[in-house]
Amino acid sequence: MVNLAVIYYSSTGTNYQLAKWAEEAGKEAGADVRVVKVPELAPEAAIASNPGWKAHVEETKDVPEATSDDIEWADAIIFSVPTRFGNLASQMKQYLDMQGGLWATGKTVNKVVSAMSSAQNPHGGQEATILALYTSMMHWGAIIVPPGYTDQLLFAAGGNPYGTSVTQGQDGKMVEDVQAAVKHQAKRTIEIAKKVANK
Amino acid sequence: MVNLAVIYYSSTGTNYQLAKWAEEAGKEAGADVRVVKVPELAPEAAIASNPGWKAHVEETKDVPEATSDDIEWADAIIFSVPTRFGNLASQMKQYLDMQGGLWATGKTVNKVVSAMSSAQNPHGGQEATILALYTSMMHWGAIIVPPGYTDQLLFAAGGNPYGTSVTQGQDGKMVEDVQAAVKHQAKRTIEIAKKVANK
Amino acid sequence: MVNLAVIYYSSTGTNYQLAKWAEEAGKEAGADVRVVKVPELAPEAAIASNPGWKAHVEETKDVPEATSDDIEWADAIIFSVPTRFGNLASQMKQYLDMQGGLWATGKTVNKVVSAMSSAQNPHGGQEATILALYTSMMHWGAIIVPPGYTDQLLFAAGGNPYGTSVTQGQDGKMVEDVQAAVKHQAKRTIEIAKKVANK
Amino acid sequence: MVNLAVIYYSSTGTNYQLAKWAEEAGKEAGADVRVVKVPELAPEAAIASNPGWKAHVEETKDVPEATSDDIEWADAIIFSVPTRFGNLASQMKQYLDMQGGLWATGKTVNKVVSAMSSAQNPHGGQEATILALYTSMMHWGAIIVPPGYTDQLLFAAGGNPYGTSVTQGQDGKMVEDVQAAVKHQAKRTIEIAKKVANK
């Protein structure tokens, strides 16, 4: 059984929803799945000033925080992270940076990795953010499995070959329907992880 | 008077249209403008097998081919190039590679550069392609002037902060209306070039 | 007089040294210079466990922390940041992310930006980290001024056209001699900022 | 038996040497190996004006040219390509662009890919070039296997986690000793390909 860690950061819920869809697909594919959130860096006051952010923090207070153990345990990792100025939200970067100890012992090697993202504009850094995540994964000795154009349904979701990405509208809702794309990406990731991990 | 070179590659006309809009804006802004196409690499047979491609080659047969002199002459350069697998179409890359002689004499330094792109999917490499172009421009010692979010109208055009990008539909037509975004980008490029070149 | 903000993150001193050289060159070029450090994210315990880190925090306790005002004030910004897994150290990313308010009011537009980096291996992500920083700057509407190969002395420093980068040896010392390259980069940045800001 | 295609471009021999080391390691690891060169784009006159280039073209005149069939045949692909202005030499980009037909039939999916590069400066675009190649591979639905820091010997070769890279000195010789790093990278690529292709 493949161990899949879905590691996400979400302020108002978009990437949490992407993570949940990945979890669903992972379970359907027979994987053991953990959905974990990276620790928040923003001060309480910033969160409190944004009703959507505050509500989401409350809604997900029981989601476990990601640790080094989640990476060590995983055969496959799916990251989901919003773009901030064309790069990972700092919360996710901080989580990655803190894995230096795990990295030094070689325990990040051969993890099968795929990533998803969101932005407020259709071309608001979705590509750049996923590519930046993969660059870090190369330092980890991970094996990178982007969706490419491996299924027709990906075209309907915007055709981002690096990973599923979605535009978050002014109303906080997703503009494109990417549920099927997320599930395809998760299944593909697990399928490759099964082979790499001999499971 | 600022000298603006609009250097493009286009197989079926999308990037030619972007280039023409940039030319219009450049002239309105008082620049001396050259629109030049990079040489084709594809064999005649490939072009002949695609009616849209063939028609466009015919339509633009009088557009001059880009040379090193166009770069030397220019204060500002706007590139327009379709993505091919998330990177510059090879025709444009070949043109850049052939500027080694110009580069070695320092004549690419301080050119004010901005770029545009197109792809067949909304997230089909538009970001990655423009970023790749800018990476090469850093080797040239160029000064890079992306549009960012310097005008509200950019949001309507898809909000690509690296440069105007457009999706080309199955029917060969542009999906988004980016004319105003192209013109804003061209004017901004000229405005900065005016300062950098003391013109 | 050009206002130059040198914004850096440093754990054991390498990027602080790069920042100080940039400051020196900035003053020589007649700029008004602020050197500011981005806030630390690491827990006290982590810092305390590393003597070099602890000593550097102590040594720089009087360096002011970077705020939004430093960006608003600046005509030119030089960033200096170590790579962490081929991308900005999270401390710097967090600082950038917190400028959303400034960004929304348009006050990041037309800042003239250049960047420097360090890593523990000669090809340990120096290029990727500087490029990632520039990608974020494009979102800000900044004007990017990499050194390219604008002076022969850059070749001796490793020839990184994106920005000066240095390898930090196991002993914590710099492997390459990059002082002259840093100073050239700083002067070039100021020279362009002078033109862009009409100063 | 894993099928390994080593696809390279080389003007004066550096990337050819990298390719030959990958071939050696591939055979030692029990793979069936093809070493193929991408077609030249430069005019005869350019080649003739550079004695090293001319000699290398002569030396490798019997190396087969890469075709679409090499990709279709391969389980694993190792690319070796010099940087030109921080991106793939146009010869390699042109070869990739011409695989549109193969791509459209899904035959690029799940190829296990790794890449190598060279430049004339220690930080002359080696990172950026390999990353650009991987971006294109994501469009192909390939599985990307960078070396990371999966062996101590990689540190001695410069520690480029994206792929082996080497500096080519003014005399045309390699500055770093990367033979062991190339062989490690090739073996790792084959090992993962064996699993992905169930061979």
Side-chain angles (χ1 to χ4, degrees), chain B residues 69-133:
Chain B
D69 176 67
D70 295 312
I71 294 166
E72 192 173 343
W73 167 82
D75 302 303
I77 307 173
I78 293 177
F79 290 97
S80 195
V81 57
T83 185
R84 295 284 185 268
F85 299 133
N87 199 341
L88 310 178
S90 57
Q91 289 87 347
M92 181 61 82
K93 190 64 194 3
Q94 167 74 350
Y95 171 72
L96 297 182
D97 287 9
M98 291 190 70
Q99 309 312 320
L102 195 76
W103 170 85
T105 59
K107 290 181 177 163
T108 58
V109 169
N110 286 357
K111 301 299 175 181
V112 170
V113 166
S114 204
M116 311 189 286
S117 189
S118 69
Q120 291 181 313
N121 286 286
H123 303 287
Q126 287 96 328
E127 295 183 14
T129 297
I130 294 176
L131 291 170
L133 191 283

Side-chain angles (χ1 to χ4, degrees), chain A residues 134-145:
Chain A
Y134 290 150
T135 297
S136 288
M137 290 302 102
M138 295 182 197
H139 286 248
W140 284 19
I143 290 164
I144 296 162
V145 182

Side-chain angles (χ1 to χ4, degrees), chain D residues 156-174:
Chain D
N160 187 328
Y162 315 126
T164 307
S165 64
V166 73
T167 309
Q168 190 189 334
Q170 296 281 5
D171 58 359
K173 292 188 184 143
M174 297 191 199

Side-chain angles (χ1 to χ4, degrees), chain D residues 57-93:
Chain D
V57 166
E58 182 59 26
E59 180 197 1
T60 54
K61 68 179 192 303
D62 296 330
V63 175
E65 287 203 338
T67 65
S68 294
D69 177 67
D70 294 312
I71 295 166
E72 190 173 345
W73 168 84
D75 302 304
I77 307 172
I78 293 177
F79 290 97
S80 195
V81 57
T83 185
R84 295 283 186 271
F85 299 132
N87 198 344
L88 310 178
S90 57
Q91 290 87 346
M92 182 61 83
K93 189 63 195 0

Side-chain angles (χ1 to χ4, degrees), chain A residues 41-43 83-91 93-94 96-100 103 124-125 128 132-133 135-137 139-140, chain C residues 41-43 83-91 93-94 96-100 103 124-125 128 132-133 135-136 139-140:
Chain A
L41 291 176
T83 185
R84 295 282 184 271
F85 299 132
N87 198 342
L88 309 179
S90 56
Q91 290 87 347
K93 189 63 195 1
Q94 166 75 346
L96 297 182
D97 286 7
M98 292 191 69
Q99 309 310 320
W103 171 84
L133 192 283
T135 297
S136 288
M137 290 302 102
H139 286 248
W140 284 19
Chain C
L41 291 176
T83 185
R84 295 283 185 271
F85 299 132
N87 198 343
L88 310 178
S90 56
Q91 289 87 346
K93 190 64 196 356
Q94 167 73 350
L96 297 182
D97 288 7
M98 291 190 70
Q99 309 311 319
W103 170 84
L133 191 284
T135 297
S136 288
H139 285 249
W140 284 19

Side-chain angles (χ1 to χ4, degrees), chain D residues 132-144:
Chain D
L133 191 285
Y134 289 151
T135 297
S136 288
M137 290 302 102
M138 295 182 197
H139 285 249
W140 284 19
I143 290 164
I144 296 161

Side-chain angles (χ1 to χ4, degrees), chain D residues 1-181:
Chain D
M1 193 179 248
V2 167
N3 291 342
L4 169 66
V6 182
I7 303 177
Y8 78 96
Y9 174 72
S10 189
S11 54
T12 56
T14 298
N15 284 274
Y16 176 63
Q17 178 61 79
L18 299 180
K20 294 300 282 182
W21 285 333
E23 177 189 33
E24 245 182 83
K27 287 182 174 169
E28 281 166 31
D32 195 353
V33 188
R34 287 186 192 174
V35 176
V36 289
K37 68 184 180 208
V38 302
E40 184 56 82
L41 291 176
E44 293 255 347
I47 297 169
S49 71
N50 177 334
W53 195 353
K54 197 182 166 195
H56 180 68
V57 166
E58 182 59 26
E59 180 197 1
T60 54
K61 68 179 192 303
D62 296 330
V63 175
E65 287 203 338
T67 65
S68 294
D69 177 67
D70 294 312
I71 295 166
E72 190 173 345
W73 168 84
D75 302 304
I77 307 172
I78 293 177
F79 290 97
S80 195
V81 57
T83 185
R84 295 283 186 271
F85 299 132
N87 198 344
L88 310 178
S90 57
Q91 290 87 346
M92 182 61 83
K93 189 63 195 0
Q94 166 75 347
Y95 172 71
L96 296 182
D97 287 8
M98 292 191 69
Q99 309 310 321
L102 195 76
W103 170 85
T105 60
K107 288 179 178 164
T108 59
V109 170
N110 286 356
K111 301 298 174 182
V112 170
V113 166
S114 206
M116 310 190 288
S117 190
S118 69
Q120 290 181 312
N121 286 285
H123 303 287
Q126 288 95 329
E127 295 183 14
T129 297
I130 294 177
L131 291 170
L133 191 285
Y134 289 151
T135 297
S136 288
M137 290 302 102
M138 295 182 197
H139 285 249
W140 284 19
I143 290 164
I144 296 161
V145 182
Y149 294 99
T150 51
D151 197 293
Q152 286 298 319
L153 62 83
L154 297 171
F155 293 101
N160 187 328
Y162 315 126
T164 307
S165 64
V166 73
T167 309
Q168 190 189 334
Q170 296 281 5
D171 58 359
K173 292 188 184 143
M174 297 191 199
V175 173
E176 303 93 355
D177 182 0
V178 299
Q179 183 174 352

